[in-house]
Amino acid sequence: METAVNASGRETEVLIVGAGPTGLALATMLVRSGVVPVIVDKLTTGENTSRAAVIHAHTLEVLEKLGVSERLGERGLRLARFSLRDRDRVLVRLHFDTLPTRYNYLLMLPQDMTEKILAERLAEGGGAVRWGCTVEALSETPDGVRVSVVSGAGKETIRARYVIGADGMHSVVRQTAGIGFTGQSYEESFVLADVEMAWDHGREEVMLFFSPAGLLVVAPLPAGTYRIVATLDNAPEQAGVADVQALLDTRGPTHGVARVSRVQWSSRFRLHHRVADHYRRGRLLLVGDAAHVHSPAGGQGMNTGLVDACVLGRILADVVSGRRDDTHLDTYETLRRPAAQQVLQLAGRLTHMAIMKSAPQRFLRNSVLGIVSQFPGFRRSLEMNLSGLSRRAAAELSQ
Ligand SMILES: Cc1cc2nc3c(=O)[nH]c(=O)nc-3n(C[C@H](O)[C@H](O)[C@H](O)COP(=O)(O)OP(=O)(O)OC[C@H]3O[C@@H](n4cnc5c(N)ncnc54)[C@H](O)[C@@H]3O)c2cc1C
């Protein structure tokens, strides 16, 4: 349990660095298990941008333990279908409404809303984020970790038994632990934009267009807007109406109206595919983007981090409360690192297929997909993979 030690220092069983979606989910899981962690974030308040916009079925199953799945479901837009296309031609159409789960849909919800719902749940359990606190350095001692934190109030040292890096791709916890982040960074970047537009192609389906110019995703969002995602060699920092329109005109459907009237939010980011070599070193552990980053094709990043957080939360609660010994923490990497590797493979394949440039390669891809998509087993395997349900075992702990 968190205990104040003196005016300049604190002591806690668990310190979480980062209050993005994975840090918030982990803190909520711990609080619900009777362990109140200290959770700090260098931002002065929670992020308010859209970013990850889809929550998959398996994530909702796992988030039931936090009591947030229903709330998320009420706020989001439920979609039954996902299609892979080459301009007007549907190559593969997936049906999520036939999946073996009570969450048989793709839930579209901007990430700031997801974080808000998680933060509310954390507060209901008695937890609170310490915003405006930057972790500058960590050092392991025989019985814990000393963490230097800087805030508006000055510097302080927090002593923790375990420190969790939920601090994103540039994780200071991962760097301090000396854990490698193996993989590659690519030249290509992604443009993201939430737009208002006239769109003749319905609001029931996420469409992923393959195009020699690059990948394009069009996904309906709640409140009548659409998420556009596209790969671009030199993406503008802020995409405008003309930029998004050009993407739709050159990569999207050739018939029907697709006319952008307003860009609500836009961002760009570089493509990285990396997994941490280990998820644990001693008393330091990693979750979410601190442990894995990849292409947003398939919308898996935040989802994988949320499942990591729930699994780690249960394991940590057992260790901290003395029900299991410290070696039980190794289970976390055994379960979750292979899951991240599978997700990287899925996102990598989708991206690779989507951006094939040569005409013969594209012809071959479209022909093969046209044939294999006739087999229900192929479609089901892709649906299970995208929804995360094929990775259920990677979230199950033996009692
Ligand atoms: C523009 C954009 C679009 C995206 N779109 C998608 C998408 O469509 N689908 C998808 O699945 N994913 C998407 N992602 C990825 C998704 O946003 C991440 O996977 C998700 O945010 C990871 O959550 P996290 O909590 O692990 O890390 P983050 O959200 O990065 O949170 C880390 C937190 O740690 C804090 N922090 C960092 N260092 C310190 C420190 N030293 N001290 C204190 N605090 C610290 C940061 O302030 C931050 O709040 C997108 C990301 C971006 C940037």
Side-chain angles (χ1 to χ4, degrees):
M1 295 285 163
E2 182 190 349
T3 23
V5 172
N6 56 45
S8 62
R10 289 173 84 85
E11 224 171 59
T12 179
E13 293 282 355
V14 180
L15 171 71
I16 301 169
V17 187
T22 60
L24 289 170
L26 174 61
T28 308
M29 182 57 110
L30 286 168
V31 163
R32 283 174 74 84
S33 312
V35 178
V36 182
V38 172
I39 172 167
V40 297
D41 199 296
K42 63 184 177 187
L43 298 175
T44 46
T45 174
E47 273 279 5
N48 59 0
T49 57
S50 173
R51 294 160 295 147
V54 60
I55 308 184
H56 288 292
H58 180 236
T59 314
L60 291 165
E61 285 183 351
V62 171
L63 288 176
E64 268 180 13
K65 296 191 179 62
L66 304 190
V68 292
S69 301
E70 210 167 296
R71 291 184 198 185
L72 293 165
E74 282 162 10
R75 305 299 288 269
L77 177 67
R78 300 174 188 200
L79 302 181
R81 298 200 303 265
F82 180 100
S83 61
L84 302 179
R85 296 166 175 249
D86 186 342
R87 307 295 310 244
D88 299 311
R89 183 171 162 203
V90 176
L91 302 171
V92 183
R93 179 170 275 131
L94 305 175
H95 293 266
F96 287 77
D97 50 351
T98 59
L99 282 172
T101 170
R102 54 193 292 225
Y103 304 103
N104 55 350
Y105 45 81
L106 296 157
L107 186 71
M108 304 306 301
L109 188 68
Q111 186 172 329
D112 52 336
M113 276 307 304
T114 302
E115 291 181 16
K116 191 164 174 279
I117 290 168
L118 286 166
E120 275 166 17
R121 197 75 187 110
L122 176 63
E124 284 162 18
V129 178
R130 290 177 55 186
W131 295 108
C133 293
T134 304
V135 168
E136 289 210 315
L138 306 101
S139 59
E140 272 200 73
T141 63
D143 55 351
V145 188
R146 289 170 64 82
V147 185
S148 305
V149 180
V150 177
S151 68
K155 270 197 177 196
E156 66 175 323
T157 300
I158 300 178
R159 292 195 294 276
R161 190 165 150 207
Y162 295 105
V163 174
I164 318 302
D167 48 347
M169 189 176 133
H170 303 290
S171 170
V172 68
V173 178
R174 190 187 64 239
Q175 286 164 27
T176 305
I179 297 174
F181 204 27
T182 302
Q184 276 179 289
S185 297
Y186 298 86
E187 274 309 300
E188 226 149 19
S189 44
F190 275 84
V191 172
L192 285 106
D194 291 354
V195 303
E196 292 166 18
M197 66 173 176
W199 175 249
D200 266 0
H201 306 275
R203 288 184 51 79
E204 296 81 37
E205 185 167 308
V206 175
M207 298 179 187
L208 193 159
F209 295 90
F210 293 164
S211 156
L215 163 157
L216 171 74
V217 178
V218 180
L221 290 175
T225 55
Y226 295 83
R227 160 63 59 90
I228 308 293
V229 182
T231 48
L232 210 59
D233 284 343
N234 288 306
E237 206 172 324
Q238 295 280 324
V241 169
D243 300 310
V244 182
Q245 189 64 54
L247 290 167
L248 288 169
D249 291 346
T250 54
R251 304 179 187 188
T254 59
H255 76 279
V257 174
R259 201 172 42 253
V260 182
S261 51
R262 184 167 166 254
V263 176
Q264 280 189 343
W265 170 82
S266 107
S267 180
R268 68 164 179 198
F269 68 99
R270 280 218 179 284
L271 185 51
H272 308 271
H273 270 229
R274 294 179 185 276
V275 183
D277 296 343
H278 292 286
Y279 277 21
R280 175 189 186 194
R281 181 146 295 157
R283 296 175 181 279
L284 307 180
L285 294 106
L286 305 173
V287 278
D289 276 19
H292 44 75
V293 286
H294 52 79
S295 151
Q300 301 291 321
M302 180 185 74
N303 285 273
T304 311
L306 289 171
V307 179
D308 289 347
C310 293
V311 172
L312 179 59
R314 283 158 64 203
I315 294 174
L316 254 180
D318 278 349
V319 171
V320 165
S321 61
R323 287 191 290 274
R324 305 289 291 260
D325 69 29
D326 173 88
T327 58
H328 185 48
L329 284 171
D330 296 333
T331 316
Y332 168 59
E333 174 173 327
T334 311
L335 283 171
R336 297 304 303 161
R337 195 166 173 277
Q341 285 172 317
Q342 283 172 27
V343 165
L344 250 78
Q345 215 174 49
L346 170 69
R349 277 196 191 139
L350 275 176
T351 310
H352 177 69
M353 268 199 301
I355 62 180
M356 280 177 178
K357 283 196 167 50
S358 88
Q361 271 185 329
R362 280 166 29 228
F363 176 76
L364 187 65
R365 174 200 65 200
N366 292 359
S367 309
V368 170
L369 279 176
I371 295 166
V372 294
S373 69
Q374 302 303 313
F375 294 101
F378 168 81
R379 293 198 305 273
R380 181 43 54 106
S381 153
L382 203 48
E383 287 156 3
M384 293 294 280
N385 207 342
L386 281 165
S387 64
L389 295 173
S390 63
R391 291 181 292 282
R392 269 178 177 150
E396 270 158 27
L397 290 166
S398 56
Q399 293 310 309

